[in-house]
Amino acid sequence: MSALLKMHKVQRLFTPALVRSVSEAAKYPKITTHYTVHPREKDERWKEVDMERCIEEVDLVIVGGGPAGMSAAIRAKQLAAEKDQEIRVCVVEKAAEVGGHILSGAVLDPVSINELIPDWQEQGAPLNTPVTKDTLSFLTGSGRISIPIFKGWPMDNHGNYVVRLGHVVKWLGDQAEALGVEIYPGCAASEVLFHEDGSVKGIATNDVGIAKSGAPKETFARGMELHAKTTIFAEGCRGHLTKQIMQKFGLNEGSEPQTYGIGLKEVWEIDPEKHQPGLVEHTIGWPLDNATYGGSFLYHLNEPTPTIAVGFVVGLNYKNPWLSPFQEFQRYKTHPKVRHVFEGATRIAYGARAINEGGFQSLPKKLSFPGGCLVGCSAGFLNVPRIKGSHYAMKSGMLAAESALDAINSGAQSTAGVEPVDYAERIKNSFVWKDLWKVRNVHPSFHNPLGLFGGLALSGFSIFMGGREPWTLKHGPQDHESLQPASSCKPIVYPKPDGKISFDLLSSVALTGTNHEGDQPAHLTLKDDRVPVEHNLALYEGPEQRFCPAGVYEYVPNEEGGNLKLQINAQNCIHCKTCDIKDPKQNINWVVPEGGGGPAYNGM
């Protein structure tokens, strides 16, 4: 080959278009390697890998071992025993231990546990703290104004129990196992399986042994397929399989889009002289501004040590991209009417979880579909003014089990997967539907020009009316659409943590016990690796750095591209789902990591 020809070929390799593409590649390095974005069918590294799965046939598969899932499993086994019927019920739970991913306030209304297990006290259920006193206050910058709580209103907690919900769920798991339920902790449901007719066939658990690069390791092993007559999705708020089911079957068509909050929580051991078991305190107002929805809770538990649970909820429809829910929580504890509780105390736990706040308007128009149904927070059953959903989760799980077994035993299904066709009707005839209807206008009342004060007036009227007002308010824009450009918002400068009452983020994350296999693809996947820098950083100064309560997202110098790049610290993830909700372009898609990964909460 002549030297001239060689030179011509080299010149062709460095055309302006290629130079630009190399520069673009340097500016926007590849971040996502997960197979849900980069299919393995197109990857030569997977060409010779055996992808066959083991299959188990069962009657009911329940995805998620929270209060809804465990209640569904228990009720199914109770009904089978009443009919002297043998059925296989399997619960798939992504946490390493049952209850390990559960986080809630929590004050529990015992109405559902009374029905499910009437002798729960004799059986040792960890409901040890009956509510003895309720308070609701409005915080100013330095003061506290009491707001009356009237008997029978949503904030009235008479007859309820302060609990550590993770412990309650673990106890429910013990009851389920005693009835013969098969529980698989440490197994994350990663895929919905379908029959040829389009009905749900079951789920597949996650594969293991995939390197961070997306290549198979020597330890690669396929997950298992669980085929069921009916599959009950009880993943909790913003379940990643539930998202797919909702889209495939159009379950949300005609409903208001769901709106969310993020709940952050700590557990403390305090001075015994300040401890009042059964005291329930809630506040609104400071440190949030008039336009931002949220508030605090502080519950005194009856434990061997003087223990309290404290938390802060911020509505994820907030507008200012400089806002950090974690920092607002830390700032709340420094209020002069609050901080005395924490002086001389020890923080022993931290965590966070997204919660549904859409209420009645945002419930799916269809709760069931060929082959399954949605229960608990997967469907959005949460009463915002009561700050409660666990009793709805339990009741919906029980009703789903009853409907599913009736449908299975009838043999009248028209699809391969059995749909619990009367489940929605059972919900509508239950207290779940009636309760949510009554308070449907409380949360959207705060979407008004007067903000918090207008919301208090309008929601107070709605509560007084008991939901009889002849209108149903809407929620407005979706949470991911609410952010305003950073240039048009006032930056928020948060005080430095003192390490005694307020803390930094990373020392807080250490208290979650979160852990993931390091050499696996990040489960925080990006549909487009360019969007974080081109859109989020450019327009909103990288809000994912602030709305994530675990330090997962971080913009760091990109030496090759001469700019900043997004770094995803997936090992920090505490499975709160906030990023999946609040990301402005909906570019982040949360999928399950290897089973057993995530936080290791102890009674959160």
Side-chain angles (χ1 to χ4, degrees):
M1 184 183 294
S2 69
L4 186 62
L5 184 57
K6 287 181 180 178
M7 184 179 295
H8 176 67
K9 289 198 171 188
V10 169
Q11 287 175 338
R12 286 180 59 195
L13 286 173
F14 289 92
T15 60
L18 186 57
V19 170
R20 281 198 302 271
S21 69
V22 170
S23 176
E24 292 288 298
K27 285 180 67 177
Y28 307 107
K30 184 175 181 179
I31 300 172
T32 299
T33 59
H34 201 276
Y35 66 85
T36 55
V37 176
H38 302 286
R40 292 180 288 203
E41 295 81 0
K42 300 178 181 179
D43 190 335
E44 287 293 321
R45 298 173 298 179
W46 289 89
K47 193 172 183 180
E48 304 298 327
V49 177
D50 181 8
M51 301 298 282
E52 188 175 350
R53 291 180 174 129
C54 294
I55 297 173
E56 285 282 335
E57 300 280 351
V58 301
D59 295 290
L60 275 183
V61 162
I62 299 167
V63 183
M70 289 303 181
S71 297
I74 290 169
R75 187 66 186 131
K77 278 294 192 177
Q78 287 175 340
L79 291 168
E82 290 171 9
K83 299 176 181 178
D84 199 23
Q85 180 182 5
E86 280 294 327
I87 62 169
R88 280 191 76 185
V89 179
C90 291
V91 176
V92 178
E93 168 56 44
K94 63 185 174 67
E97 295 183 4
V98 171
H101 286 178
I102 297 294
L103 185 143
S104 182
V107 175
L108 179 68
D109 185 329
V111 59
S112 295
I113 197 171
N114 285 341
E115 180 184 349
L116 182 64
I117 305 174
D119 63 343
W120 56 264
Q121 289 177 306
E122 291 79 2
Q123 297 296 328
L127 279 67
N128 305 316
T129 312
V131 174
T132 57
K133 184 181 178 182
D134 255 337
T135 71
L136 174 62
S137 306
F138 174 79
L139 294 183
T140 65
S142 59
R144 183 176 195 148
I145 302 169
S146 294
I147 300 172
I149 299 174
F150 297 104
K151 186 174 178 60
W153 280 35
M155 297 299 288
D156 176 21
N157 280 296
H158 177 76
N160 298 330
Y161 292 82
V162 182
V163 301
R164 298 176 72 165
L165 191 61
H167 290 166
V168 175
V169 167
K170 188 175 187 304
W171 177 84
L172 287 171
D174 293 339
Q175 309 310 302
E177 284 191 314
L179 292 171
V181 175
E182 301 171 41
I183 301 176
Y184 300 132
C187 293
S190 63
E191 181 183 347
V192 184
L193 305 175
F194 297 95
H195 291 285
E196 289 185 3
D197 64 3
S199 62
V200 171
K201 187 178 189 178
I203 59 94
T205 62
N206 62 287
D207 298 340
V208 296
I210 304 174
K212 196 169 187 176
S213 65
K217 296 191 281 192
E218 289 184 5
T219 56
F220 173 76
R222 270 302 242 167
M224 175 189 292
E225 292 191 7
L226 287 169
H227 296 178
K229 295 170 183 174
T230 300
T231 304
I232 297 175
F233 290 86
E235 295 180 286
C237 176
R238 196 73 170 193
H240 88 290
L241 295 186
T242 300
K243 279 172 57 181
Q244 298 172 32
I245 288 291
M246 285 182 169
Q247 184 174 5
K248 177 176 175 61
F249 294 105
L251 304 185
N252 281 329
E253 290 178 6
S255 299
E256 277 280 291
Q258 184 62 259
T259 185
Y260 301 88
I262 177 174
L264 305 105
K265 178 182 175 180
E266 294 174 349
V267 178
W268 288 66
E269 291 182 357
I270 65 169
D271 183 342
E273 293 185 0
K274 301 173 184 177
H275 191 230
Q276 303 177 57
L279 174 61
V280 168
E281 300 180 284
H282 294 101
T283 73
I284 55 175
W286 192 92
L288 299 177
D289 62 28
N290 185 47
T292 305
Y293 187 85
S296 78
F297 63 85
L298 197 158
Y299 305 150
H300 291 242
L301 290 138
N302 182 21
E303 299 265 318
T305 58
T307 304
I308 63 166
V310 60
F312 203 81
V313 177
V314 178
L316 286 177
N317 60 350
Y318 67 82
K319 298 178 181 179
N320 189 341
W322 298 104
L323 186 147
S324 162
F326 173 82
Q327 296 285 3
E328 296 293 340
F329 178 28
Q330 299 307 308
R331 191 158 63 148
Y332 152 76
K333 293 181 293 177
T334 66
H335 190 277
K337 297 297 183 180
V338 176
R339 67 176 296 132
H340 69 93
V341 177
F342 306 99
E343 290 172 346
T346 303
R347 186 178 68 150
I348 59 175
Y350 165 79
R353 184 72 169 93
I355 58 175
N356 300 295
E357 290 190 341
F360 184 85
Q361 292 91 316
S362 299
L363 294 179
K365 288 298 181 184
K366 294 184 285 186
L367 291 168
S368 66
F369 45 86
C373 63
L374 308 180
V375 298
C377 287
S378 282
F381 295 132
L382 186 131
N383 188 320
V384 176
R386 289 197 76 193
I387 322 177
K388 288 176 185 60
S390 297
H391 61 305
Y392 298 148
M394 295 179 70
K395 182 62 176 177
S396 65
M398 294 155 63
L399 294 176
E402 292 169 6
S403 181
L405 260 63
D406 281 354
I408 290 169
N409 291 331
S410 74
Q413 69 270 14
S414 58
T415 56
V418 179
E419 178 175 358
V421 288
D422 66 351
Y423 166 59
E425 194 61 30
R426 291 175 190 251
I427 288 287
K428 290 177 181 178
N429 290 329
S430 74
F431 64 82
V432 177
W433 193 265
K434 296 179 179 68
D435 285 0
L436 294 181
W437 169 257
K438 286 180 182 178
V439 299
R440 70 193 184 281
N441 287 324
V442 172
H443 185 266
S445 292
F446 289 83
H447 304 311
N448 70 83
L450 299 178
L452 175 62
F453 300 109
L456 288 173
L458 291 170
S459 62
F461 174 75
S462 180
I463 291 170
F464 176 77
M465 290 293 293
R468 291 186 296 273
E469 62 272 25
W471 59 79
T472 297
L473 301 177
K474 295 185 177 182
H475 291 301
Q478 295 188 58
D479 294 342
H480 70 272
E481 300 171 328
S482 63
L483 284 182
Q484 297 176 349
S487 59
S488 67
C489 296
K490 182 180 179 181
I492 303 174
V493 179
Y494 292 103
K496 291 183 178 180
D498 60 17
K500 297 177 181 179
I501 293 174
S502 59
F503 298 88
D504 66 273
L505 186 57
L506 292 183
S507 67
S508 300
V509 173
L511 291 177
T512 68
T514 193
N515 185 50
H516 296 84
E517 161 61 45
D519 189 18
Q520 65 173 310
H523 61 283
L524 301 312
T525 69
L526 304 178
K527 299 172 187 174
D528 184 342
D529 288 339
R530 300 165 59 99
V531 165
V533 171
E534 279 193 340
H535 185 77
N536 291 6
L537 185 62
L539 196 57
Y540 305 110
E541 293 292 336
E544 54 270 74
Q545 299 177 107
R546 293 177 288 278
F547 62 59
C548 173
V552 169
Y553 300 96
E554 184 179 7
Y555 283 92
V556 298
N558 176 14
E559 295 180 2
E560 292 183 8
N563 61 342
L564 292 176
K565 65 179 180 180
L566 180 67
Q567 178 174 290
I568 298 179
N569 307 310
Q571 296 95 325
N572 285 12
C573 180
I574 56 176
H575 299 204
C576 73
K577 312 294 181 67
T578 303
C579 58
D580 194 280
I581 297 164
K582 189 63 175 173
D583 181 55
K585 295 283 280 187
Q586 289 294 275
N587 187 52
I588 298 173
N589 185 42
W590 192 101
V591 299
V592 290
E594 288 189 4
Y601 295 141
N602 177 15
M604 287 290 277

